Amino acid sequence: MENQTVPTDMPTRDRILASARKHFLALGFQAASIRKIASDAGFTPGALYGYFGSKEELFYALADPPLSRIMQKLNDIENEMMTLPPEKRLFGMNAIFYSQIPELADLIFEDRAIVNLVVNGSKGTKYENFLAELVGRNIHVICEAAENVEEKNIRMVDEETLEILMEGYIATLFHLIVSGRDKQTVIRCMGLFGKIYETGILSLIKKENECDL
Amino acid sequence: MENQTVPTDMPTRDRILASARKHFLALGFQAASIRKIASDAGFTPGALYGYFGSKEELFYALADPPLSRIMQKLNDIENEMMTLPPEKRLFGMNAIFYSQIPELADLIFEDRAIVNLVVNGSKGTKYENFLAELVGRNIHVICEAAENVEEKNIRMVDEETLEILMEGYIATLFHLIVSGRDKQTVIRCMGLFGKIYETGILSLIKKENECDL
Amino acid sequence: MENQTVPTDMPTRDRILASARKHFLALGFQAASIRKIASDAGFTPGALYGYFGSKEELFYALADPPLSRIMQKLNDIENEMMTLPPEKRLFGMNAIFYSQIPELADLIFEDRAIVNLVVNGSKGTKYENFLAELVGRNIHVICEAAENVEEKNIRMVDEETLEILMEGYIATLFHLIVSGRDKQTVIRCMGLFGKIYETGILSLIKKENECDL
Amino acid sequence: MENQTVPTDMPTRDRILASARKHFLALGFQAASIRKIASDAGFTPGALYGYFGSKEELFYALADPPLSRIMQKLNDIENEMMTLPPEKRLFGMNAIFYSQIPELADLIFEDRAIVNLVVNGSKGTKYENFLAELVGRNIHVICEAAENVEEKNIRMVDEETLEILMEGYIATLFHLIVSGRDKQTVIRCMGLFGKIYETGILSLIKKENECDL
DNA sequence: AATGAATGAGGGTTCATTCAT
DNA sequence: CATGAATGAACCCTCATTCAT
């Protein structure tokens, strides 16, 4: 991590952010050094505190904007799901999600590296449990939907299993997103994983009705 | 992390290990402090170096034994797969893996927390790419098997997709293992994920034969 | 070595250097303590690293300037010797060296203590073999000159003896320089030792021609 | 410096000494580590303190015996010089010294490495000024002899110059002794240096009488 | 006679942060 | 706005030494 590799034809704040980005991505929040971030930006550490109150605030200045855009999109998707009548919601959610994958991917790919950072290098910040919280949110939505499903004759997989599947799905999606593959591949595979989990789950449900798993 | 919370009715080495375990699990390798590990065990930092040559050695004293047992088991499983005739290997591998899940789970559950530590908090140690290396290994085995599959009329999914699926599967398994659920649930869900991925992949193959995905 | 004995009416860098000088001179490189150097200068250890990257760098900040001036002078002297025709070089070298002794002494006396430090307390630094390297350099020059000497009828002392004499001469010179005597005395005695060795060697050569030593 | 390289078929004390010797020679007094000395001898550090009260005592257990034998020999030589009538002493001393060189060399070569250690690696011990003290002693003897010299018509070089010459001579001798050359070479060169200094000094005196230096 | 355990002090170094200028 | 100086705490680690056993 050499000195002064960040372009100098930018406002100070942006130079600091560019340098911080580089260091946080390479080392994670904890291992990155304010001193090196500053010197790499061409400033002294003190300068940094004119713009950001602390190392953590600096991190959030990088992570918050893309993260909140993504969270907003997820909220939108969730809200759209909520417009479905409750008894059709569980099986309609997927279609809505699939249809939004390209837009969601666009959003994520606007700054995929930051998503990676939040997922893998945010220990010590408010995002350190980001993935777990995301899973929690989705579980909540799905479970509500599952309670209102109309076909009472098919018994759903139990809630814990659902949670685990959801965790697996989300972990897998983020693993994929963060893996460095190109956007088209990621979009394709997000759909792929969706179908795999869907098909798998449906086969589970059928089997549950026929016999015991 | 207060001082002196580790029981004093144990040999020193064990007290240090217990304390180190606590701190490493809570903070990861890098963020944990030798000073605090020592003082929490009721000793001065110097005492620790009578038993372990370095912070890293201390980490390995915790991580190596369970990890090497697990790696040994994975080797055994792989070797058993290799006893299958090459042209039947791809579709026979799963059965072998399923049959070994309980034993593998037993092994993992002997010290699941350490597996978690290795997966999530081992930056700075030789294990920092553990998961990626595990995925790499498995990809290798599977791809070899895929090349020798006999049914030439069904076109396999392409290698990149296979890799992504494998990554997703393994990431999911470890996510599950590390999630804190009880052993029976984990064993059940390891099978579940296996079936989901298997079913999903088969449905993929069928679709590929019918039309284009 | 008490705290805070270095004058406070100097820039920080100079205070650190003054303190470091004191400690290095008194204890040598290895035994001197960064903590004590800093506190003696009236600072915390961290302050020191704002000016010098490491203990070694701090040492070099003291040792390099005088040392490189001296080495430069020695290079100049050597170059001047090289302007002599090869066959006259061996016996002409001395005169050149004598003529340069005052300037060389001036240079050395600009910071004789540092020369002492380098000669006696530089273990662990790049200067730890300074004297030996200096001897090696001179041996090289002299041996070359000896090969081209014109008077083939006088047999030179063998190379090993020459090396030993050279070592003795240089060791003696530095011993003298470092001994704390005033400049005039040192200059006088540098000449004196030169003549002693010269006379001694000449008498040797003569004896060698007359009979065996 | 590996563990346990010292032969085990010796009494403990000797094994410790052998190991200490190795470490002190390689690193000097200060940089050598009791812990490593002990472990290299096949013991724990504590064991060492059953035989030697401190690191320094251990050093002396190695250094004192050869050193005191050498000092004894030097005393003997000095005493023999004292048997000369005072007015003949100055010019008779050399002959006595030359005649004793072989025995002195034998003594030194019994443990030349220790002499090297004392000269070059004894900082922090009572021997750290060994050479300077030796010089001081000899100066004393010579100066006394110089005061009683009978030929009042030849003015000796002044006392300071004498001291410096003596220092140079002794420093040179020890430099030679410690340089690692074989005993025959050392003995030959000890004589050589003696003659060089003698011849040189005589020529000085003559010149002083003829004209000014 | 030797160990094993442990200490307390200290080693060089890096850190995020503060603040007067 | 940015610096430069400095801090105090913390980092991992090594040391010579002690002492009960």
Side-chain angles (χ1 to χ4, degrees), chain A residues 160, chain B residues 102 105-106 109 181-190:
Chain A
E160 187 186 31
Chain B
D106 275 348
F109 272 78
R181 291 186 177 81
D182 69 278
K183 201 200 307 191
Q184 287 320 311
T185 304
V186 169
I187 290 178
R188 181 172 59 84
C189 290
M190 285 178 78

Side-chain angles (χ1 to χ4, degrees), chain B residues 1-155:
Chain B
M1 209 72 68
E2 309 84 42
N3 288 359
Q4 190 63 31
T5 68
V6 162
T8 57
D9 58 347
M10 296 160 63
T12 300
R13 206 188 120 98
D14 294 341
R15 282 165 65 187
I16 292 172
L17 281 173
S19 175
R21 193 185 157 83
K22 198 174 92 183
H23 285 79
F24 281 143
L25 290 180
L27 303 167
F29 174 73
Q30 291 195 123
S33 150
I34 284 281
R35 263 177 169 66
K36 286 176 189 156
I37 289 172
S39 92
D40 191 5
F43 300 98
T44 50
L48 200 150
Y49 287 87
Y51 298 89
F52 308 96
S54 67
K55 194 188 185 185
E56 215 173 326
E57 232 181 66
L58 174 56
F59 184 88
Y60 297 144
L62 287 165
D64 278 349
L67 256 288
S68 64
R69 281 197 302 272
I70 291 168
M71 293 312 286
Q72 182 55 50
K73 182 66 185 170
L74 292 175
N75 279 337
D76 291 348
I77 294 177
E78 192 180 318
N79 288 337
E80 195 183 338
M81 290 170 174
M82 288 309 182
T83 63
L84 293 175
E87 71 280 3
K88 307 215 174 209
R89 202 173 286 157
L90 184 64
F91 296 103
M93 286 164 71
N94 276 339
I96 290 177
F97 183 66
Y98 291 153
S99 73
Q100 300 291 344
I101 283 181
E103 281 180 33
L104 185 56
D106 275 348
L107 226 43
I108 288 170
F109 272 78
E110 275 179 24
D111 206 341
R112 181 170 47 165
I114 290 296
V115 176
N116 191 357
L117 174 57
V118 164
V119 171
N120 291 316
S122 62
K123 198 173 234 169
T125 76
K126 69 181 177 192
Y127 290 121
E128 64 184 351
N129 297 314
F130 173 75
L131 220 60
E133 283 161 16
L134 195 59
V135 169
R137 255 183 53 147
N138 279 39
I139 294 292
H140 180 73
V141 172
I142 291 181
C143 287
E144 267 194 7
E147 281 171 15
N148 295 317
V149 74
E150 57 184 356
E151 291 127 298
K152 291 293 178 198
N153 54 330
I154 66 161
R155 220 189 104 319

Side-chain angles (χ1 to χ4, degrees), chain A residues 12 35 42-44 46-47 51:
Chain A
T12 300
R35 223 206 298 280
F43 298 97
T44 51
Y51 297 89

Side-chain angles (χ1 to χ4, degrees), chain A residues 30 82 100 163:
Chain A
Q30 293 194 119
M82 287 310 182
Q100 300 292 341
E163 188 179 318

Side-chain angles (χ1 to χ4, degrees), chain B residues 176-208:
Chain B
L176 167 64
I177 285 162
V178 140
S179 70
R181 291 186 177 81
D182 69 278
K183 201 200 307 191
Q184 287 320 311
T185 304
V186 169
I187 290 178
R188 181 172 59 84
C189 290
M190 285 178 78
L192 182 56
F193 280 118
K195 290 211 174 76
I196 286 176
Y197 275 82
E198 202 182 340
T199 314
I201 291 174
L202 286 181
S203 85
L204 262 182
I205 291 172
K206 268 192 291 181
K207 276 193 189 146
E208 270 193 354

